[in-house]
Amino acid sequence: MSKKSYAVTIAGGGSTFTPGIALMLLEEHDRFPVNKITFYDNDAERQEIVAKACEIYFRENAPEIEFNYTTDPETAFTGIDFVLAHIRVGKYAMREKDEKIPLKYGVLGQETCGPGGIAYGMRSIGGVIEILDYMEKWSPDAWMLNYSNPAAIVAEACRVLRPNSKIINICDMPIDLMDKMAVMCGIKDRRELQYSYYGLNHYGWFTRIYDKDGNDLMPEIKKHMAKNGYLDGISHEPGQEQHIDESWVHTFGKAKDVYALDPETIPNTYLKYYIFPDYVVETSDPNYTRANEVMDGREKRVFGACREVIEKGTAEGCGFEADAHATYIVDLACALAENTMERFLLIVPNDGAVSNFDPTAMVEVPCIVGKNGYEKICQGQVPQWQKGMLEQQVSVEKLVVQAWVEHSYQKLWQALSLSATVPSAKVAKLILDDLIEANKGYWPELH
Ligand code: NAD
Ligand code: G6P
Ligand code: MN
């Protein structure tokens, strides 16, 4: 019997991550056969550059795949099996504002954490729900696998607004960290690691790591973490191109200090924003933030490579790379399509997975994934320190979603003042009023 083959739509076709995922779909063709790929974006001009380059790549490497790109939702979402989504509502121009406005008031500026993440959440919820609705209207049996950030807030919004939808929210950070732990332990493929992990998105801890034979790798990993954070895990092999800029290397080093707070667990790098917010502000340049680095770096690189492919008319030697980010989402699609029953870290309703924590929280925990969806693996109770942190942060995220739904200024002010990154309700209000001004046309009107 010949294997079924699938139709995939990439939402956010103009994303810097699209070429990597497109390449990975071809690379994994034997495990996860694809007969149709469509790119969808609401910015025709931006998408066209990526799409025209990928079109050439597909023609040269997989002419049997039907490829289209469009800004028309009906064309993009009809007759498909999977949506792989990575949109950025407001694009880098708004990311830059998210990062720079809080810094004006001495508060850290970050894509998904603190006031910047809250602002981005208020923009993203509508965009992600819109795509989910398109998929359900024209392809009701399809799955949406979503990378669009801030994943914690987006996931909570989906739980509240579309509780029965077939959407799974994911993050590549723990995957990259597992790549690094594998390097520390001399293991070639991260996918051999068995792990326990709990938390919220960009806010969690590994509690157990075993190799494929069940041997405990935590003692070895802890030794590296105590000395150098994740730095010992950085690989220079091809396929590790994602988090290599200087600022990321600093973050991997800083994980040593984050680890010091609880040497029983291995922390997510993003915890540094909540645990050491003063340090983050001191080491930030308010005139040149990560958004500027990305626009000068990854965006120029990817769009430069795409333009070159289009000019030359060939994708040979184009330098497109498929990294762990691309591998993870394609592996997940493959697990759903082909019932592989592999373990994935997903952002899902808690409902007892972390037993002493809000059952309605969207937690990041390991799950087994197959044709019928995912099953959570219980992580038991979390210690007091983590419980305190989780309660605070989940309340921030829930308040943001409530503010979006109810158009509530009050709740958004509460969310900002509750964030561990913000020193007082006074500062929260100053930042909020600036963010409202900057986000006109993107946020619901608050009252
Ligand atoms: P990007 O700006 O290069 O690409 C985003 C694309 O989305 C743009 O082409 C934009 O036009 C499009 N877009 C914006 N709003 C849209 C809408 N409403 N409908 C359709 N398309 C829309 O951004 P990027 O740096 O490539 O990142 C893309 C997304 O992936 C971001 O949300 C980023 O945070 C996220 N991301 C998540 C993870 C994770 O761990 N979850 C990892 C990497 C990137
Ligand atoms: C990690 C996180 C993503 C985040 C990205 C930012 O991969 O898991 O959620 O979007 O880093 O990277 P950037 O290079 O855009 O700053
Ligand atoms: Mn992430």
Side-chain angles (χ1 to χ4, degrees), residues 41 46 71 98 105 125 140 145 172 204 221 227 246 252 286 302 325 331 340 346 367:
D41 205 289
R46 182 179 178 90
T71 54
D98 291 345
Y105 301 97
I125 294 172
L145 310 184
D172 63 15
I221 294 166
K227 208 160 152 245
E246 203 45 40
F252 294 129
V302 171
H325 172 89
D331 280 352
T340 67
L346 308 178
C367 299

Side-chain angles (χ1 to χ4, degrees), residues 149 170-173 201-202 270:
N149 265 321
I170 53 171
C171 173
D172 63 15
M173 192 75 252
N201 179 238
H202 290 185
Y270 276 93

Side-chain angles (χ1 to χ4, degrees), residues 352-370:
V354 179
S355 56
N356 56 343
F357 185 45
D358 187 343
T360 72
M362 290 302 283
V363 292
E364 198 161 292
V365 289
C367 299
I368 301 296
V369 180

Side-chain angles (χ1 to χ4, degrees), residues 1 7 16 25 57 101 106 142 145 157-158 179 224 253 257 271 279 307 313 315 327 374-375 379 406:
M1 196 179 81
T16 55
L25 286 171
Y57 190 90
I101 290 171
L145 310 184
C158 293
D179 270 340
H224 289 284
D257 297 338
L271 288 163
Y279 158 88
R307 287 198 179 92
T327 314
Y374 61 82
E375 255 183 275
Q379 300 297 302
E406 299 165 23

